[in-house]
Every structure is written in C-alpha cells, then in structure tokens.
Amino acid sequence: QPVAPATQISSMAWSIEDAGCASTPSVRRTAALWLLLFGVYAATVGLDAFGDSDYGGDEPHYLLAARSIVEDGNVDVNDEYAARAYDDFYPYELDKHGEETQGQLNEPHGLGFPLLIAPAYALGGAKGVELFLAAIAALAVALAYRLALRVVPDPWAISAALATGLSPPFVAYGTAVYPELSAGAALAGAALLALRLDNRPSRRDAFGCFALLGMLPWLGTKFVPAGLVIGYVGARALWRVRRRTL
C-alpha cells in the first residue's frame, strides 16, 4: 500500500548528512519552509472550485472512492452512487465514470490515490483530505529545496523554492484532490535517496528509494517515466557498490 511509504518520505530523505545539506541552519530553513507553505496551502481549504462546489473535475470521484474504502473496504462505488453518498462534499448530480462489471463499478481513476487519502478521509472527511494534501504539497517543495541545495547554496536554493511554492498555480493546486503533488513528493524523496546511494550506499536508503518509486504506478502510470530515471541512478549506485565488493 502507498500509505506507509508516503509517511517515510521526510524521515528518510531529510536524514541526508552530506556537506552543505545537513547543516543546522539548512534543516531549520527546510522546516520553516514546510510550515510556511503548509499554512498558505491550508488557508485555501474550502474555496469553491465552481458554483457551490468545493470540488470539480475528478476530485469528487477520488473522494467517493476513498469513502468506499473507508466504509466498505473496496473501491466499488455503485452503492455510494445509489445512496448519493457524495452529497456530503458535492452538491450536484455526480456522473458515473466507467461502466459496471458484474454489478460493480470500479471507476478508472486507479486505486493508489484513494488508498493514500483514505486515512485522512476517515479522520476528517473531505476537508481532512485537503489538509493532508496541503501537508504533502508543502513536503514536495521542501524536498525540492533539499535537492536544490545540492546544486546551488542559499539564498538561491531557498529563493527558488519559495518562488515555486508560492506561485499562483502551486497555491491554487496545493489542496486539490489530485495525485500530482503526492507523486512529486515521492519523486523528490526518491531522488534525494538515490543521490545519497551514489555517495554512501545503505540498505535503508535503497529500500526507501525504491519503495517511493514503487508508489508511482499506483498513483498514475504517467509518473512512471520520471521514476525510471531516478531508479536508474539508484540502481547504478548499487551496481557500483557490488562491483567494488566482488
């Protein structure tokens, strides 16, 4: 399940101790960046997507699938449509996606993202999901900042992270119920661990890197090509270690 790897992104990726990336000021700036962005994104919770609805596009479908997982333990949303279970977060008639198969309706939006947000839905409903995704969006930018530190020092790295994280598209998308920013956080965390493998290989980092990459097909096949590039870097690092130990 993708939930467990997602909770490990920060603990594994922020443990990098390379020179220039693990100084105390750098760690403090990373935490401050995450807090700032989380606050900004969380402030957008409840904004209308259109009309009287807070959610548009595929968002209510992801939420309905998460509700089905929480209440029924599956992603068959046929009974949720029959009971209009989406009324809690969508005030209009919700069109079904896909077609019924043997009396079941498993919409073509994938299983991974509804699984990821299901615990947040169980705790706080649709608004709980938005807050959870705001935290992940802020984490994605914080991890991108850690990557930037490997290329340029501050203030350039932190300025670029702030400019990106506070840009209108990012703020507007910060609590959107879509898998893109979750995939971005997984990619950034995997990239950090792959780079660490290139310097100091360890089993924990290798497991974390490939566990995060393993999330990507569950979130959407479109994220796989980027993951393959990072996977190549990690696999190459492990191959080099193996050759040195032979």
Side-chain angles (χ1 to χ4, degrees), residues 39-234:
V40 171
Y41 301 153
T44 68
V45 171
L47 293 180
D48 291 341
F50 73 96
D52 295 326
S53 177
D54 293 348
Y55 309 101
D58 290 337
E59 290 181 293
H61 296 275
Y62 285 121
L63 290 170
L64 194 62
R67 179 179 181 129
S68 181
I69 290 171
V70 170
E71 295 185 348
D72 303 332
N74 58 50
V75 289
D76 173 19
V77 292
N78 220 358
D79 53 336
E80 277 75 22
Y81 275 106
R84 293 185 61 94
Y86 53 81
D87 281 344
D88 291 344
F89 48 80
Y90 192 72
Y92 305 110
E93 186 77 23
L94 186 61
D95 295 333
K96 293 182 179 181
H97 288 181
E99 299 196 8
E100 293 184 24
T101 302
Q102 297 180 346
Q104 295 187 344
L105 179 61
N106 300 312
E107 295 189 316
H109 300 297
L111 175 63
F113 189 61
L115 269 174
L116 179 67
I117 64 176
Y121 188 92
L123 291 173
K127 294 298 184 282
V129 171
E130 286 192 72
L131 288 172
F132 174 64
L133 293 176
I136 290 184
L139 178 60
V141 180
L143 293 175
Y145 165 59
R146 305 297 293 184
L147 281 172
L149 282 174
R150 292 177 165 272
V151 182
V152 294
D154 281 329
W156 311 109
I158 191 69
S159 297
L162 283 169
T164 302
L166 294 176
S167 63
F170 235 105
V171 173
Y173 213 80
T175 56
V177 188
Y178 286 104
E180 277 74 11
L181 293 181
S182 300
L187 285 166
L192 283 168
L193 293 170
L195 291 172
R196 181 170 180 172
L197 285 173
D198 210 29
N199 295 330
R200 281 197 309 276
S202 73
R203 291 181 179 178
R204 188 188 70 168
D205 293 337
F207 174 81
C209 175
F210 289 101
L212 290 172
L213 293 177
M215 290 177 57
L216 298 176
W218 292 90
L219 295 175
T221 55
K222 62 184 177 183
F223 308 121
V224 171
L228 289 175
V229 176
I230 298 172
Y232 170 76
V233 174

Side-chain angles (χ1 to χ4, degrees), residues 197-198 200-202 235-246:
L197 285 173
D198 210 29
R200 281 197 309 276
S202 73
R236 183 186 62 178
L238 294 175
W239 175 252
R240 287 176 177 173
V241 173
R242 182 183 178 188
R243 290 186 63 185
R244 286 200 299 266
T245 57
L246 290 178

